[in-house]
Amino acid sequence: MRSMHIAVLLFNFLYYLSPVYSNCPEAPKCDKGYLYRSFDGTCNNLGYPLYGKPDLTYDRLLKANYDDGISTPYKAKDGGPLTPARTISNKLYPDIPLKDPIWTLILMQYGQIVAHDLSNIKQEGPDNCCTNETSKNPKCFAIEVPFDITDRMSLAGIKCISFIRTTTDRDQGCYTENEPVEQVSDVNSILDLSVTYGNSLAKSQELRTGLGGKLKVENRNEQDWPPRDPTPTKTCFLPNTEEACYLTGDKRGNQNLQLTVLQVAYLREHNRVCDILAELNPHWDDEKLFQEARKICIGQHQYVSYYEMLPIFLGRDNLLNYKIIYDTDDFVDDYDSSVNPAVYNEHANAANRYFHSNIEGYLKLYSDKFRLSYSSVRLSNWFDRPSFLEEGDNFGGLCRGLTTQLESNVDTFHTSEITQYLFKKAKTFGKDMKAADVQRNRDHGFRSYNDYRELCGLKRATKFSDLSGEINELAIILLQKLYKSVDDIELTTGGSVENHVQGALAGPTFVCIMLKQFSKTRLSDRFWFERSGKTGFTLDQLNEIRKASISRLLCDNSPTTDYMQPEGFKYTSIFGNKLQDCNTLPSINYTKWKE
């Protein structure tokens, strides 16, 4: 721990004094007595107030690997080109529809909310990197689509998929000379429900009414919806200009229907909590009501993320052993001011993206009490088009669908809705998320899969056969066809074909990386919901927060949903986790907040 403190002090000395950092942001002055967290993550760490801020770089588990040592994407070990990312996607991640036997689609979707809360690559470049004019633009790193009779894009005559490189510290003029570039995230790196409240004070003010602590809504068909985005054509795909396009705390809030369901649910939850607190404490002003409701909603979000979602993805025993969760009714005061909350690049842009395999291509809508499917909707028809939710009872039907429909199995198989038709808009084909994941691996200069194996305690492979037992034989054969050397295997691909750790939904390398990340996220947060003291909850309030659940969140914010299973991430059946009246599910007793 002493060496970690020294490293942090050295970093800050260089950050503030080195002339290389002349274009870096200035640290704000912090009010040490202020009880609530900022919107942009600053002043969470009083010693290093810039920690957590948007537009700063990701952290790294291993130093970047670039061909020129600075930013040029690496080549194969023998100096030749790597297999095109589109070919890897087409061969390694085909569309074979296998269902998870236990977990519902809302599990995948909550994972995306957490991912969006913690990071987002910043990109600045041309709209299309596949033209003669843009092909040599330094911000472009287009994905080649080689001719292949097994590739539907290739057969349609598509030869290129646009891809923009992530903005780096060099682009922003805040970097260390002769060091590899580091990519920038444009959201704060705190798990603080910034998808609802925004990543800046200005954004939060744009979202607030200024009355009763509430966030802005528009009421249509007796339901509250996020306000309209003032620049809808920049945010959404709108075949009809009358369609809704929402203004949310995160610019990705309209990206897909399931995501928008949770964006709407947390918006409604905030305002619902405001009404309760206002009745209990009529003397509280707008600011007090807003901040207390925000604090409660963030507490619920952190609890559901860590105690309900992560045990499924990473294994409860792993989380307990790694001290990411605790079996206690008491406070947990494990804040560590030496930990920088900056998200690991390898987590955000490789390991965590493994769960794209959970995505379902068609979303089912279900009735309430008896959970009968009555409709379905194709995912790619509604990218960046949230207006579907306002038609009839589609919002309620999808809330019930997300907690009833099984997610796709966690494996290498991916729906073609994201590998052929992603953001296709009015076109026949769109982008390829898995090809983009592989290309991003190269853009960000991640070291080889072998290097991360070693980091995570696995034996380094010297030949493909050394992977036997940890990766199934068919996957090894595919890797041999796609990579000339075992050292060419990339983190994104190698981690995705590992056999899963017992009790978890990923292999040992990705589990290792994600455990490191989620430990870092809680340790670095001075306002973490389990902390004691003036910035925290009382113990009675904390144990009320611990009653939160994904099921209760949807019950309370879907007016046409009256029944839900206690464990919303888990499939309901006659053998257990049965549907029950929403009013019988555990709920927070808000009288603990009465002054």
Side-chain angles (χ1 to χ4, degrees):
M1 189 63 70
R2 179 180 173 82
S3 62
M4 184 180 294
H5 278 283
I6 292 173
V8 169
L9 289 171
L10 179 60
F11 170 83
N12 281 276
F13 174 78
L14 291 172
Y15 189 94
Y16 291 114
L17 298 184
S18 171
V20 175
Y21 290 107
S22 59
N23 293 322
C24 294
E26 293 184 7
K29 293 181 179 179
C30 301
D31 180 355
K32 295 183 179 181
Y34 190 60
L35 299 179
Y36 304 105
R37 59 172 78 241
S38 67
F39 294 95
D40 64 1
T42 58
C43 295
N44 192 309
N45 189 311
L46 295 174
Y48 312 110
L50 280 172
Y51 277 4
K53 184 183 180 300
D55 294 325
L56 296 184
T57 58
Y58 286 96
D59 198 358
R60 286 268 176 173
L61 287 165
L62 292 176
K63 188 175 181 178
N65 171 35
Y66 288 108
D67 199 52
D68 61 353
I70 301 296
S71 64
T72 304
Y74 54 81
K75 298 183 178 70
K77 191 177 180 181
D78 66 2
L82 290 159
T83 300
R86 172 62 187 177
T87 300
I88 291 175
S89 172
N90 191 46
K91 302 299 184 185
L92 197 58
Y93 305 113
D95 186 349
I96 299 178
L98 299 179
K99 303 292 185 187
D100 189 292
I102 300 172
W103 309 116
T104 60
L105 198 51
I106 194 67
L107 175 66
M108 175 281 299
Q109 196 49 60
Y110 208 91
Q112 188 182 32
I113 279 284
V114 172
H116 283 195
D117 199 344
L118 290 174
S119 77
N120 182 43
I121 55 172
K122 186 170 186 174
Q123 292 175 297
E124 298 165 312
D127 292 334
N128 184 1
C129 284
C130 291
T131 68
N132 291 332
E133 292 77 17
T134 61
S135 61
K136 297 189 184 302
N137 187 307
K139 297 305 297 180
C140 286
F141 186 30
I143 299 170
E144 176 192 358
V145 183
F147 178 74
D148 185 341
I149 60 171
T150 70
D151 185 340
R152 281 178 280 179
M153 281 190 179
S154 173
L155 292 177
I158 296 171
K159 297 180 180 180
C160 173
I161 301 173
S162 183
F163 183 95
I164 299 172
R165 300 195 69 179
T166 304
T167 298
T168 70
D169 48 3
R170 281 187 176 246
D171 296 321
Q172 296 187 321
C174 176
Y175 63 97
T176 303
E177 203 71 55
N178 300 320
E179 285 294 312
V181 297
E182 187 53 71
Q183 286 72 33
V184 171
S185 173
D186 70 0
V187 301
N188 82 56
S189 54
I190 313 293
L191 190 67
D192 61 352
L193 210 54
S194 55
V195 293
T196 298
Y197 299 107
N199 283 278
S200 69
L201 178 60
K203 172 58 74 172
S204 74
Q205 290 173 336
E206 184 182 10
L207 296 168
R208 293 175 62 175
T209 64
L211 296 170
K214 290 189 173 184
L215 294 168
K216 292 177 182 176
V217 295
E218 296 177 6
N219 190 277
R220 288 184 289 275
N221 299 322
E222 300 182 347
Q223 293 195 53
D224 287 338
W225 305 99
R228 301 259 178 159
D229 190 296
T231 57
T233 56
K234 293 182 180 180
T235 306
C236 294
F237 170 57
L238 301 177
N240 180 346
T241 56
E242 297 301 311
E243 288 188 14
C245 178
Y246 300 138
L247 179 68
T248 69
D250 187 274
K251 62 186 180 183
R252 298 160 288 181
N254 298 281
Q255 186 193 85
N256 65 75
L257 295 176
Q258 316 102 292
L259 173 71
T260 309
V261 162
L262 286 175
Q263 292 273 177
V264 173
Y266 267 117
L267 167 65
R268 292 176 178 176
E269 177 68 0
H270 173 89
N271 286 351
R272 189 184 73 86
V273 173
C274 280
D275 284 338
I276 296 171
L277 295 179
E279 186 173 348
L280 289 170
N281 299 293
H283 57 289
W284 284 5
D285 62 11
D286 171 70
E287 184 66 15
K288 178 76 170 179
L289 286 167
F290 173 81
Q291 293 291 2
E292 287 295 320
R294 175 178 176 238
K295 180 178 175 181
I296 288 168
C297 288
I298 293 171
Q300 291 184 63
H301 176 48
Q302 290 184 339
Y303 179 78
V304 170
S305 298
Y306 270 61
Y307 286 85
E308 195 173 5
M309 183 195 79
L310 284 184
I312 300 169
F313 281 128
L314 301 180
R316 179 176 170 80
D317 288 344
N318 291 329
L319 296 171
L320 287 167
N321 292 337
Y322 220 81
K323 295 185 178 179
I324 294 173
I325 63 173
Y326 291 80
D327 187 6
T328 181
D329 294 327
D330 206 345
F331 296 112
V332 182
D333 287 315
D334 58 351
Y335 171 60
D336 187 341
S337 62
S338 72
V339 179
N340 185 339
V343 173
Y344 288 124
N345 207 326
E346 297 95 338
H347 165 81
N349 297 297
N352 198 51
R353 297 180 74 79
Y354 173 51
F355 299 115
H356 288 153
S357 63
N358 292 140
I359 295 171
E360 277 287 303
Y362 287 79
L363 312 177
K364 295 182 179 180
L365 282 68
Y366 281 79
S367 62
D368 192 16
K369 187 172 184 179
F370 299 105
R371 286 299 195 270
L372 299 174
S373 176
Y374 61 85
S375 184
S376 66
V377 57
R378 184 181 176 184
L379 187 63
S380 63
N381 284 344
W382 295 94
F383 284 130
D384 294 325
R385 289 184 66 194
S387 60
F388 175 85
L389 299 176
E390 296 190 27
E391 298 174 9
D393 186 30
N394 286 350
F395 182 86
L398 197 50
C399 278
R400 298 185 291 270
L402 290 171
T403 53
T404 306
Q405 183 179 357
L406 290 169
E407 67 180 9
S408 286
N409 201 42
V410 191
D411 48 35
T412 57
F413 307 134
H414 290 68
T415 173
S416 57
E417 291 296 289
I418 64 167
T419 60
Q420 308 276 0
Y421 309 112
L422 182 70
F423 305 133
K424 70 182 183 67
K425 298 182 179 179
K427 298 179 180 178
T428 302
F429 289 95
K431 295 187 176 184
D432 177 352
M433 185 181 290
K434 291 313 296 180
D437 287 349
V438 175
Q439 197 81 337
R440 190 76 59 204
N441 193 117
R442 299 168 184 182
D443 174 28
H444 288 211
F446 294 150
R447 302 198 74 82
S448 75
Y449 165 62
N450 234 342
D451 291 335
Y452 290 99
R453 281 173 58 87
E454 280 193 308
L455 174 72
C456 292
L458 297 176
K459 186 178 179 181
R460 189 176 188 88
T462 60
K463 53 187 182 299
F464 285 96
S465 59
D466 290 342
L467 302 174
S468 184
E470 294 161 357
I471 297 175
N472 72 68
E473 297 304 319
L474 177 58
I476 293 174
I477 292 171
L478 287 171
L479 290 175
Q480 284 182 291
K481 291 182 177 180
L482 295 169
Y483 295 101
K484 289 175 279 189
S485 165
V486 70
D487 283 316
D488 288 335
I489 301 173
E490 297 162 282
L491 174 61
T492 291
T493 53
S496 72
V497 294
E498 288 182 337
N499 298 328
H500 289 179
V501 173
Q502 186 173 2
L505 297 182
T509 302
F510 281 171
V511 166
C512 161
I513 292 171
M514 288 186 279
L515 288 173
K516 291 178 185 294
Q517 176 58 57
F518 287 110
S519 173
K520 179 191 237 268
T521 296
R522 75 165 290 143
L523 288 174
S524 63
D525 188 358
R526 182 165 63 94
F527 295 92
W528 186 256
F529 83 101
E530 292 171 297
R531 309 271 183 255
S532 64
K534 292 182 179 180
T535 60
F537 296 108
T538 68
L539 188 57
D540 283 345
Q541 290 171 346
L542 172 57
N543 284 313
E544 290 301 317
I545 295 291
R546 286 170 170 150
K547 294 178 182 177
S549 68
I550 185 63
S551 293
R552 191 76 215 198
L553 175 71
L554 295 179
C555 273
D556 287 335
N557 297 288
S558 174
T560 60
T561 300
D562 296 319
Y563 294 88
M564 189 68 69
Q565 68 268 38
E567 298 175 71
F569 293 135
K570 188 176 182 180
Y571 187 65
T572 182
S573 75
I574 59 173
F575 303 107
N577 198 34
K578 297 179 182 180
L579 292 174
Q580 60 188 63
D581 191 305
C582 281
N583 292 323
T584 65
L585 295 174
S587 62
I588 294 174
N589 177 3
Y590 287 98
T591 62
K592 305 299 182 182
W593 278 263
K594 182 177 175 62
E595 285 188 346

